[in-house]
Each structure stands twice: as structure tokens, then as C-alpha cells.
Amino acid sequence: MMILAALTMVGGCSKDDDGSSEPTWNNSTFTPSEKPTWVVDWHSDAVQPDWQDPDATKYECCMNMRLRLVDDMAPYSTEDDRLAVFINGECRGVSYRSKMANGKVFFLLHINGDSKEAGNKMELRYYCDGLHHMSITTAISPFVPNNVDDIFQSDFSIVSGSQKYPVATLLSVMMPQEMPFTATSGDMLAVFVGDECRGIGYQGGDLYEGWRVTVYGPQVGETGQIRYYSAEKGGVYTILKTFTLSGNLQQENIWF
């Protein structure tokens, strides 16, 4: 009886003239649409920082690090970008944007320190001028004195440590067995807070299995809502059910 009741809540049935039952879709609204260009807006109002290189004579050793900006963020990079590294709250090196022969954006950091700081965590602070956006995150590598012959290399993104959206909710969205369309690789799923896109989904394997979305926000407790674009139907389904973003890993089941 409980299973039947649950199915009734998910969607009702209507009968055609021949007596056959067809599912009805009461848990979403549909709007015809071209394929959306959903993106998270990372524009902010951060002011360009006045970071200064330290006096190298005060330190006994150094470390070199080359960091490449992820491709998705490269179009927002300008010559006024700044990347700085901090150890124990002190600025130990400032870098400006450079470009590789293939057009990739990177920053070469010369980091000053003392041998007793070997293994200490380093904090990266990146100012993206094109977005007026600041991000602060911990470097993958700790401080390694005098790594002249082995320059540490890594990719980085403004998404990690974003000062605009410091909270990330890792959302798993499970799809129902019955849907008003056939899922295709051209479908899209996004999570909105109000009318603002906060996360773009990617399919977790089987088209019917589910989606994974990282939802970004300024704080926990915001109300999220899912929108689904069906390439087959040529429109967007807005799921009526809403949910609270926890800032942690969570799962949501949706119905159409």
C-alpha cells in the first residue's frame, strides 16, 4: 500500500478513449527553448591587490613553481592578473601572467623561504582581472626549498577557493524510470538559485542513471531548483520540487 501511495504522488495516470493509461507529468513545467547557454557567473567586485615581492635577502632559500590556469578560465585572464603565494600569512612571491607557445596561460612563481619551513603549507591567492574575482586556496605542494632542478607544475582554477562562492555542494541527481522524453547526449541539467545558474551537471555514466553537479554559493541554506533541457523535446523542464543546499555531499531524486 505504501508503494502504491508513493507512485500516486510521483505522477498520476489518465485514460485515453480506448481505456489505456498514459502517465501525466505534474512535477514540472515545460517551456519550449533552444539549447540553453547555462553558465555560472563568476564576475565579482574584488579590487586588484597590491601584493609586493618580498626582500629576497631576508630568506636563505627559495622554491620555483609553475602553475597553469585551466582552459575554461583562460578567456577571462588579462595582463593585469596577479598570482601570489603566502607562507604563514606572509607574501613570499608574486607572479604575472605569461603565455606558452600553444596559448596556454601560466604563472611562474619564485617563492622565498627558510629551510626550517620545508613542508609548510602554501596559500595561493589569485586575482582574475577579467572577472574582478579573487580566489584563495592551498597549494597542492608544500614548500620545498631549492627545487631548482625539479620545478613543481600544476593546474589551478578560480573555482577552488572562490571568494564570491566559497560554498560548494556536491549534488547527485537521480532520474526517474519514467520520463516524458528519451534522454540523449545533447541534454543538459543545471541547478538554479532563483534565476541564477549555480552549477552545470554532467552525466554520471548511463543516460538514465543520474547527473553530478557541483553547486556554488555564498553560504549554506540557499534554496536550489533543477532545470533540465531535453534535446528531443526542444525545451526546458523546471522541476517544481526545491531543496536546501547543504554545502556537503547530497542526493536529490526528481520527477517530471
Side-chain angles (χ1 to χ4, degrees):
M1 292 297 293
M2 293 179 63
I3 296 176
L4 290 176
L7 290 175
T8 301
M9 292 178 63
V10 170
C13 291
S14 61
K15 290 189 176 181
D16 291 341
D17 293 338
D18 60 2
S20 62
S21 296
E22 293 292 338
T24 57
W25 314 103
N26 301 319
N27 299 289
S28 64
T29 60
F30 177 78
T31 304
S33 170
E34 299 291 334
K35 188 169 185 177
T37 55
W38 291 328
V39 293
V40 178
D41 183 7
W42 294 102
H43 288 84
S44 188
D45 56 1
V47 178
Q48 186 184 72
D50 186 27
W51 296 321
Q52 299 294 327
D53 274 311
D55 181 357
T57 62
K58 295 181 178 180
Y59 303 95
E60 62 183 26
C61 54
C62 64
M63 173 183 179
N64 292 306
M65 176 183 290
R66 185 168 69 178
L67 299 174
R68 188 179 70 88
L69 184 64
V70 296
D71 293 341
D72 289 349
M73 297 300 171
Y76 303 107
S77 175
T78 77
E79 293 182 356
D80 290 322
D81 285 9
R82 299 289 185 272
L83 178 65
V85 62
F86 286 72
I87 301 177
N88 298 326
E90 297 178 355
C91 182
R92 300 294 182 85
V94 181
S95 179
Y96 305 90
R97 187 186 76 159
S98 298
K99 279 193 172 184
M100 302 178 188
N102 60 6
K104 305 292 186 181
V105 175
F106 76 96
F107 296 81
L108 183 61
L109 280 164
H110 184 76
I111 306 163
N112 297 280
D114 296 317
S115 57
K116 63 182 180 182
E117 295 176 317
N120 281 16
K121 291 182 179 180
M122 299 188 297
E123 183 181 78
L124 296 175
R125 303 184 186 181
Y126 173 60
Y127 172 75
C128 178
D129 180 71
L131 296 172
H132 299 291
H133 183 280
M134 181 74 72
S135 60
I136 302 175
T137 188
T138 300
I140 296 176
S141 170
F143 182 65
V144 180
N146 301 320
N147 68 329
V148 177
D149 297 326
D150 184 23
I151 298 178
F152 181 81
Q153 302 185 61
S154 178
D155 292 349
F156 75 102
S157 169
I158 69 169
V159 171
S160 178
S162 165
Q163 298 300 285
K164 179 180 182 181
Y165 294 137
V167 176
T169 299
L170 304 179
L171 189 66
S172 175
V173 180
M174 303 308 296
M175 305 293 286
Q177 291 186 343
E178 290 191 38
M179 299 186 293
F181 53 83
T182 300
T184 73
S185 60
D187 292 1
M188 295 179 65
L189 182 146
V191 175
F192 283 73
V193 174
D195 287 325
E196 184 178 0
C197 180
R198 292 292 187 81
I200 309 299
Y202 66 92
Q203 292 167 329
D206 190 300
L207 292 176
Y208 292 91
E209 178 184 346
W211 294 68
R212 307 291 180 266
V213 192
T214 301
V215 187
Y216 301 96
Q219 60 192 14
V220 298
E222 291 189 296
T223 299
Q225 188 173 35
I226 292 171
R227 299 183 188 181
Y228 188 103
Y229 170 75
S230 167
E232 180 190 68
K233 294 296 185 180
V236 174
Y237 291 87
T238 299
I239 308 303
L240 299 180
K241 173 191 173 185
T242 60
F243 49 91
T244 300
L245 296 167
S246 66
N248 297 305
L249 178 66
Q250 68 185 77
Q251 178 178 310
E252 296 294 333
N253 301 317
I254 63 173
W255 299 275
F256 290 91

